[in-house]
Amino acid sequence: MGDVVRTLAVWCPDWPVVAQRIVEEEPAAVLVANRVLAANAAARRQGVGRGLRRREAQGRCPELLVLERDEAAEARAFEPVVAAIEALTPRVELTRPGRCLFATRGPSRYWGGDVALAERVGALVAEVLDRPDGVRIGVADGPFAAELAARAAGVGAGVLVVALGETPAFLAPHPLRVLGPPALVDVLRRLGIRTLGELAALPTADVIGRFGTEGSVAQRLAAGHDARPPALRRLPPDLEVHAELDPPATLVEPAAFVARSLAAELHERLDHLGLACTRIAIQAETEHGEHHSRLWRHEGALSAAMVAERVRWQLDGWLTGSTAHRPTAGISLLRLVPDEVIPADGRQLGFWGGTTREGERAARALARVEGMLGPDAVQVPERRGGRQPAEQVVLVPLRSVDLSDHRARGPIERAAAPWP
């Protein structure tokens, strides 16, 4: 299977809770949109799991500590972990705070094989976190399988290495929900397909004819391949965007404000060339010559809002992290460098709902107003659920949401109990 890269994935369970430094014995859960996003081991022992509504979680565990998600804290806490892994390889790719991966070809040969490398990475991360059971390591063919291997790693050793060439057999029994897109998974389940192995066994031409590009990507992942065949084209040389900050930024907000404009400029250049970015290098430089660079990966296409969000996470982790990793001067240069691009597959504009040209124009207009008035001046409504009318919808800063993401915009499930 020559189109996959042997990959090691690092996964820190319950990271939204761990990053807020809650005592392990105290039941705690992080909620987003009135549902549990992550819970620690103490809460899970009392029946609190991902996806539960707030009231149901508190009913199962009355002493549950309910926390709002703090992605800035997650980024700050994960920066020392990435710095420790960089001692083994410079090509660490982040997917989100709490998860990262890298190709094992060079490091594995140096450390004596995949198992020895995985154990070394696990020991480094556990030492940084000061939690022996706070990390899971998975090694497999391709990033998708490696992340699933990390999630399947046991609590004891925390390491699972899938032998070379055995990835399709490892993936076969997994349920379809691990693929992600709920609409595609729902259709496949109604057609009687329940596992990745059953999806991989379908005729490829039929899958593409029925589900298009999304179905083709899902089947390649289910079969143990990379999401897309390797691109043979070279990156165009004029895609890099950068900006000099004068005066240098010592706080996250001014730098993130500039980064949003850079992300929009980069997105326009890629769109003009019919390309989409799946991996990007975010580089920062201080006036004292200190450099900070991270690779961010996404299985889909990185939108301008997603790039800006990742710049904020990275700079927050660098500027407000521990003294050992914090720069000694303000950021004077920001640079965004696409590291991997793919042909843009295009989008189906909505007829009733979905993506529309009017919606895209409104999003661009809001971004321009935000550029003139500041990062917190423009707010948009976000549905949170809840029983009281004031809890149903709240105003949040535009920079905290991705207006191009329609996955969570369906109707909020109504509470079954009567209103107070």
Side-chain angles (χ1 to χ4, degrees), residues 279-298:
R279 187 169 60 202
I280 188 168
I282 300 173
Q283 302 171 356
E285 183 178 336
T286 70
E287 56 184 339
H288 288 174
E290 297 159 308
H291 296 267
H292 189 260
S293 179
R294 290 283 182 267
L295 273 175
W296 291 87
R297 180 190 182 92
H298 193 268

Side-chain angles (χ1 to χ4, degrees), residues 303 306 402-409:
S303 66
M306 294 168 70
D402 183 3
L403 295 181
S404 64
D405 187 356
H406 300 272
R407 290 173 297 179
R409 304 213 181 160

Side-chain angles (χ1 to χ4, degrees), residues 82-158:
V82 180
I85 297 174
E86 279 187 329
L88 305 179
T89 175
R91 293 280 297 182
V92 181
E93 302 176 19
L94 288 90
T95 52
R96 289 192 68 87
R99 291 182 291 176
C100 64
L101 50 88
F102 61 87
T104 66
R105 182 178 180 181
S108 180
R109 290 178 177 177
Y110 182 81
W111 290 99
D114 289 341
V115 175
L117 174 64
E119 291 175 349
R120 176 62 177 167
V121 172
L124 284 176
V125 177
E127 182 180 356
V128 171
L129 298 179
D130 197 21
R131 298 177 68 230
D133 62 342
V135 61
R136 306 285 185 272
I137 308 295
V139 182
D141 299 333
F144 174 71
E147 290 199 355
L148 289 182
R151 291 180 177 274
V155 176

